[in-house]
Amino acid sequence: MTMDSTLVPTESTEAAGRYPLDPLTGAEIETAAAIVTESNYATPTLKFVMIQLAEPAKSAALSFAGEAAVPRQAFVTMYDGAAKLIYEAVVDLDARVIDSWTPIPGRFPSYLVEHMTGVEEKVREDPRWQEAMRKRGVTDFSLAMIDPWPAGYYGAQDQYENSPLICRPLTFMRAAPSENGYARPVEGLIVTFDLDHMEVIDIEDHGAVPLPSKGGNYSGQFMFTPDNRPAFTQFRDDVKPIDITQPHGPSFTVDGWNVTWQKWSLRVGFNPREGLVLHEVTYTDRGEVRPIMYRAALSEMVVPYGDSSPTHWNKNVFDMGEVGMGFSANPLTLGCDCLGEIYYFDGTVNDSSGNAVTIPNAICMHEEDYGISWKHTDFRTGEVEVRRSRRLVISMICTVGNYEYGFFWYFYNDASIEMEVKLTGVLTTGAVPDGETPRWGKMVAPGMYGPNHQHFFNFRMDMSIDGPGNSVYEVDSIPEPDPERNPHHNAWITRDTLVASESEGARDWEYSTGRYWKVVNPSKLNEFGAPVGYKLMPKDIVPVMVQEGSVIYDRARFVQHNLWVTRYDPKELFAAGDYMYQCAEAQGLPQYVSDDAPLTDTDIVLWYTVGAHHVVCPEDWPVMPCHYTGFKLKPVGFFDGNPALDVPPSPPAACHHH
């Protein structure tokens, strides 16, 4: 863990023993790998996919503070390409033994680290690929950018019994070593690549389309080809600096992975698949520590493309489950990705040999002013009361090929929580012949278009509103149904519908009723006799364009509903299942709800899907301005009044004017 130079990190967990939910250290990752490698289970072809904390069973107290020492265990996923088998192991790091070893037949793993870097070199060497490139006038193969797109699913030939572990790389051409290669997509050329043997299986060439001629550079430091003008010739000279200063330091405190800020307390975590994870989120109300969420993390994401052309129709990447958001996390930069008094957490992942790899500054934490929290002017007395809103920001930014995804958890001093996803980066592009207009996308530059596509992100939130016994209600606003009570035709009420069991747990948002959902604790009543709760407030709902009968429909069934509610099961972590690579069947949430578990006054998990509907435009090129989507959790009857009343006034010295 590292911080801005004005702050000093603590490493108390290293010296005094680790908390049971702390991520594995690099030493623990390598210990787990060594225990497996030295065991009778090891083979010469066994490779490590992910090594992460095997989280201990949830405590009845929703916290491990003050409890007896919990054994440190690693959850290890491995892939043996020769046997075509995934293995899962739980390794006791203290006893140096393997507690369990489980083969997972009929499934493929997510990418190994070398898959992201080794495919490009092998494709370049293939004579069939070279011949296809010569047909397009390309002879300098060193300038080719070859992105190892996950296989998607083409049909029965991709089933486990008939196929190796494959990917389908797409090719782009730089005009010069420093050029944006996505400006010159190689249309119609599809490679099928065997990741088990790291060799090209097949080349499909659906006909050459001229490479787009216009450059797509977005930095003044990049070279420009002679026949193209840069997007700009100089940076704006009228942008004055904005400095964020906290002369007395930040308001948060950090002890290892535990964070306290104002009345909030939580634990930060990190692993190769999910990346940023939050645990034990609580709020202190008049001296009482009140739990809100036990665990929260991205559960899965998918990017289905709506283009029927040969190069694009099966682009349906599960960036988390097929690649890994932790593996994709950026080392963040002070003043660019994060601004102000920053605390950084390093992320530690593994390579396929079991070596630890550190991603410095993978998680950024800082405070932000967020405008007015509340204000009122008494016009009779002239008295004015106003308070500033502030939020704690905990974020991670991931690069997966051409796109960047930023995941930002916000904690506000009015006790609300927000998740915001920021999408930026470079469009994946396609080429069209001169004079043609794409049917399934929009032009962004001469000869080049961006296909229609969507992004869906599912977040798993293990709720614990004032304890583990919770219920979920769907809340609709409707006109007063009793005509005698609505003589002026203006009255309306809210109607609560209990989500009683998992068969009813797949829910859809309704615009006409302003629908939201609330999680309540029926055993904890507020001063009005109503159960305390938090409500989930939807934001930016998008239509789902994934159609039944498509090859992505079953693989991404979680996108078909905005909200899923399940009863807690520690084995149910991922909305599309544990291993969805190259698999066509429905997994994850459709299976989780199939036992129709009761959902009343029990341990509740919310799975909420947010989306981004992307019909591209020229302004998205050559690099896309941030698009924002997300949701909010807000207290509803959880407190007896406005929880931000005790926020102190801002001193006049904090203001400046001319």
Side-chain angles (χ1 to χ4, degrees):
M1 284 169 270
T2 56
M3 298 180 75
D4 173 20
S5 59
T6 62
L7 304 172
V8 179
T10 62
E11 291 290 352
S12 61
T13 51
E14 291 291 337
R18 302 188 65 79
Y19 192 80
L21 295 173
D22 286 353
L24 296 184
T25 64
E28 288 176 319
I29 287 172
E30 293 183 350
T31 296
I35 293 168
V36 170
T37 302
E38 295 164 5
S39 75
N40 293 331
Y41 295 111
T43 68
T45 51
L46 189 70
K47 295 187 176 183
F48 295 96
V49 182
M50 294 182 183
I51 304 175
Q52 62 196 67
L53 177 71
E55 294 184 12
K58 187 192 298 188
S59 163
L62 302 175
S63 173
F64 294 95
E67 293 198 0
V70 177
R72 292 285 285 176
Q73 294 181 317
F75 179 68
V76 185
T77 54
M78 297 146 286
Y79 178 64
D80 190 329
K84 292 193 183 300
L85 266 178
I86 292 173
Y87 296 97
E88 295 178 347
V90 176
V91 178
D92 188 317
L93 297 170
D94 300 321
R96 295 187 65 88
V97 298
I98 296 174
D99 288 344
S100 66
W101 183 272
T102 308
I104 309 294
R107 291 289 182 264
F108 285 103
S110 57
Y111 274 172
L112 303 177
V113 173
E114 62 263 29
H115 291 161
M116 298 300 291
T117 55
V119 171
E120 187 169 82
E121 178 182 352
K122 294 295 184 180
V123 172
R124 278 202 195 105
E125 296 171 353
D126 187 82
R128 294 164 293 178
W129 177 87
Q130 292 180 357
E131 179 59 27
M133 296 303 289
R134 289 190 188 98
K135 291 178 181 178
R136 291 159 170 82
V138 175
T139 56
D140 185 354
F141 305 136
S142 69
L143 295 175
M145 266 177 23
I146 301 161
D147 282 4
W149 277 66
Y153 181 75
Y154 267 17
Q157 69 269 26
D158 286 351
Q159 290 286 13
Y160 188 88
E161 295 82 2
N162 303 314
S163 174
L165 174 62
I166 61 174
C167 70
R168 290 193 169 92
L170 297 177
T171 304
F172 304 84
M173 283 301 305
R174 298 186 192 271
S178 57
E179 289 282 316
N180 174 11
Y182 293 112
R184 304 178 77 208
V186 177
E187 190 66 41
L189 179 60
I190 304 169
V191 180
T192 302
F193 191 90
D194 182 341
L195 293 168
D196 287 332
H197 299 96
M198 293 301 287
E199 63 185 19
V200 175
I201 297 174
D202 189 32
I203 299 287
E204 296 177 43
D205 191 344
H206 295 268
V209 175
L211 295 175
S213 59
K214 186 177 179 180
N217 298 308
Y218 45 84
S219 169
Q221 301 172 9
F222 279 20
M223 296 170 55
F224 296 94
T225 53
D227 58 341
N228 287 303
R229 292 183 300 164
F232 62 94
T233 56
Q234 67 180 39
F235 290 108
R236 304 178 190 188
D237 59 7
D238 58 350
V239 180
K240 306 301 182 185
I242 294 179
D243 295 321
I244 308 299
T245 60
Q246 292 180 271
H248 301 292
S251 301
F252 55 74
T253 59
V254 183
D255 180 12
W257 295 87
N258 187 65
V259 175
T260 55
W261 178 74
Q262 297 191 28
K263 298 183 176 186
W264 288 104
S265 175
L266 56 93
R267 304 198 69 89
V268 177
F270 186 88
N271 65 59
R273 180 163 180 163
E274 297 162 296
L276 172 60
V277 181
L278 302 179
H279 277 106
E280 295 186 7
V281 178
T282 68
Y283 192 90
T284 299
D285 176 26
R286 293 172 293 189
E288 180 187 0
V289 177
R290 304 179 69 183
I292 295 172
M293 283 195 300
Y294 180 75
R295 191 182 195 275
L298 177 70
S299 160
E300 191 52 83
M301 62 167 292
V302 66
V303 189
Y305 278 73
D307 185 334
S308 278
S309 57
T311 322
H312 306 283
W313 73 269
N314 84 313
K315 288 180 176 177
N316 303 292
V317 181
F318 295 80
D319 287 322
M320 196 187 98
E322 294 182 329
V323 180
M325 301 313 289
F327 285 130
S328 307
N330 289 187
L332 301 175
T333 305
L334 182 65
C336 299
D337 299 302
C338 305
L339 193 62
E341 298 288 331
I342 308 299
Y343 190 101
Y344 289 110
F345 297 87
D346 293 344
T348 306
V349 296
N350 61 279
D351 66 16
S352 63
S353 298
N355 300 307
V357 179
T358 297
I359 303 171
N361 302 354
I363 298 171
C364 168
M365 182 171 69
H366 67 287
E367 294 175 275
E368 289 181 348
D369 179 271
Y370 197 65
I372 294 174
S373 175
W374 58 267
K375 178 176 182 173
H376 183 62
T377 298
D378 188 325
F379 72 89
R380 292 178 176 85
T381 66
E383 293 179 356
V384 179
E385 291 287 346
V386 60
R387 301 293 187 271
R388 301 291 298 176
S389 177
R390 188 181 296 192
R391 63 187 185 185
L392 179 70
V393 185
I394 304 175
S395 63
M396 166 185 75
I397 301 176
C398 303
T399 298
V400 188
N402 52 297
Y403 263 113
E404 268 73 25
Y405 300 104
F407 301 97
F408 290 72
W409 286 101
Y410 301 130
F411 294 86
Y412 292 86
N413 51 14
D414 67 355
S416 58
I417 304 170
E418 185 177 8
M419 158 47 64
E420 184 172 69
V421 183
K422 300 181 182 181
L423 299 87
T424 182
V426 181
L427 302 171
T428 184
T429 50
V432 292
D434 290 342
E436 286 196 14
T437 300
R439 181 174 180 83
W440 302 293
K442 300 296 180 183
M443 299 294 292
V444 296
M448 186 175 62
Y449 76 104
N452 298 335
H453 63 283
Q454 297 182 299
H455 303 254
F456 292 102
F457 308 85
N458 183 273
F459 292 89
R460 178 186 181 275
M461 292 167 285
D462 183 352
M463 304 303 293
S464 55
I465 303 299
D466 255 351
N470 290 178
S471 300
V472 176
Y473 288 87
E474 187 169 82
V475 183
D476 293 296
S477 297
I478 60 172
E480 168 57 62
D482 184 348
E484 294 185 2
R485 296 186 179 189
N486 193 17
H488 309 294
H489 305 286
N490 68 317
W492 54 277
I493 63 171
T494 58
R495 179 183 60 201
D496 291 6
T497 302
L498 176 68
V499 182
S501 71
E502 288 182 338
S503 65
E504 304 169 6
R507 315 301 297 184
D508 296 311
W509 183 67
E510 175 57 55
Y511 167 81
S512 65
T513 62
R515 179 172 291 171
Y516 63 87
W517 296 273
K518 65 180 179 182
V519 184
V520 303
N521 187 327
S523 301
K524 300 290 182 70
L525 305 182
N526 59 27
E527 64 177 339
F528 306 107
V532 299
Y534 263 70
K535 64 179 179 180
L536 192 159
M537 301 168 64
K539 175 181 172 183
D540 299 332
I541 303 294
V542 303
V544 177
M545 305 307 292
V546 174
Q547 299 157 42
E548 191 168 2
S550 67
V551 294
I552 189 61
Y553 182 84
D554 280 330
R555 300 182 71 217
R557 196 73 75 81
F558 71 89
V559 308
Q560 298 300 325
H561 300 284
N562 304 110
L563 177 73
W564 300 69
V565 186
T566 64
R567 188 170 66 178
Y568 170 76
D569 184 326
K571 295 186 285 296
E572 297 175 355
L573 287 174
F574 308 118
D578 294 344
Y579 304 104
M580 78 292 301
Y581 197 102
Q582 222 168 300
C583 182
E585 65 195 62
Q587 301 181 76
L589 282 165
Q591 295 177 333
Y592 302 160
V593 302
S594 62
D595 61 351
D596 195 21
L599 295 177
T600 303
D601 195 9
T602 189
D603 200 344
I604 291 292
V605 177
L606 298 183
W607 310 71
Y608 187 66
T609 300
V610 298
H613 187 74
H614 203 174
V615 180
V616 306
C617 59
E619 290 81 0
D620 292 329
W621 183 256
V623 63
M624 188 176 76
C626 270
H627 176 87
Y628 303 86
T629 187
F631 62 91
K632 197 165 188 177
L633 294 168
K634 183 179 175 63
V636 52
F638 192 79
F639 301 99
D640 292 337
N642 181 350
L645 284 181
D646 58 353
V647 173
S650 302
C655 303
H656 180 77
H657 65 87
H658 293 285

